Amino acid sequence: MTVTWRSMPGPLRTLARWVTIVQLVGYTTSLVFVWHTTRLVPPGVAARYRGVDPETTQAEMQFPKSFAQMLTITHTHLLSMAVIFLLTGLGVALCARLSERWKRWLIAEPFVALLVSFSAMWLMRYGDARFSWLLEASSAVLAVTFYVQSYLILRELRQVEREGSQVE
Amino acid sequence: MLRVSRADSLLGFAAIGNVLGKDLPITFLVAIDPADHLKDVDILVYREPYGGEVAYEPWRRQFRGKSAGDSLRVGREIRNISGATISVHAVTLGVRRLLAQLTAWHQSGAIR
C-alpha cells in the first residue's frame, strides 16, 4: 500500500499545512536577512566572510569571520536546514501527483546543495573569494527547491481537502 | 582609576568600566592624556560568543584624540561593525561616559 497525503489523518494534514506555511515565512525572512547583509550578490557574500579593509570604505566595518564563528555558522545552519528539508522531503514523499523520479530528485537535491554551499563557504573564506559564486549558485538552487517543494505540498494538501469535502 | 606616569612626567589617566553587551558585561579601559584627549580604548574582557570585533584595533582607533566635548555617535563619528552592532553601541556609550567622567575629575582637580 502506498502511503500518501490522502491516506493520512486530517489532523496530520493540518499540521503539515501550517508547518509548511510557517517554514515559508521563516525561509523568506532569512533571505531578507541575507539581502540586508550581502545584497545577495557574490562580492557582498565574500566581504561578509573575508572582511573589507576599513581604509577602503566609510561603510560599516566588516572583519573576517573567525574560525570559531565559521564553525558556529556551519553547524547551526547544517543541522537546522537538514531538519527543514527533512520535513519538506517527507511532505514531497507523500504527494501522490508526483512521479517517483521527481520525488527522489526533489528530496535528495537540497541535501547535496547544502553540502556544496557550506563547502563553498569554507573555500571562499580560506581559499579564493571566487567561491562566493558557487555559494550563491548552490544557495539559489536550494531556495528554489524549497519554494517548489512547499508549493507542491500545499497544492497536494488543498487538492486532498477539496476531494474530501466533495465526498462528504 | 589609574594615574599613569613615567619618571616625573605625567602621561595621563585611565579608568576601567563595564557595559552590558547582549547578555554579558564587556570590560573596557579608557585612557586620556594630560590635555584630556582620549589616548586609547582597550577591551579587557569580552565574554560573548559574537561581537568581539570591538576589540580590533581599526575600530578602537576611531576614538583616539577625541575629547569629552566631541560627539561620539555610532553611524556618524564612530563606524558600526557588521555583526557586532549591540557591542558597538554598548562600548561607544561606555567610552563616552568614562571619558566625560575622567575629564570632569581631572578638570575639577579630583585627580592630578
Side-chain angles (χ1 to χ4, degrees), chain A residues 144-156:
Chain A
V144 169
T145 309
F146 172 77
Y147 285 110
V148 169
Q149 285 179 326
S150 301
Y151 167 74
L152 292 171
I153 295 165
L154 291 174
R155 187 185 70 167
E156 183 88 8

Side-chain angles (χ1 to χ4, degrees), chain B residues 3-4 8 27-28 33 42 44 53 73 79 96 105 110:
Chain B
R3 184 178 188 278
V4 186
D8 291 334
T27 305
F28 65 100
D33 63 19
D42 203 0
L44 301 181
E53 292 90 343
R73 291 166 298 179
R79 287 163 66 186
R96 208 159 57 210
W105 288 337

Side-chain angles (χ1 to χ4, degrees), chain A residues 48 55 57 59-61 72, chain B residues 50 53 56 61 79-80 82:
Chain A
R48 181 146 179 90
E55 302 300 327
T57 170
E60 276 192 349
M61 291 186 180
T72 304
Chain B
Y50 291 104
E53 292 90 343
Y56 292 1
R61 73 168 166 239
R79 287 163 66 186
N80 192 17
S82 177

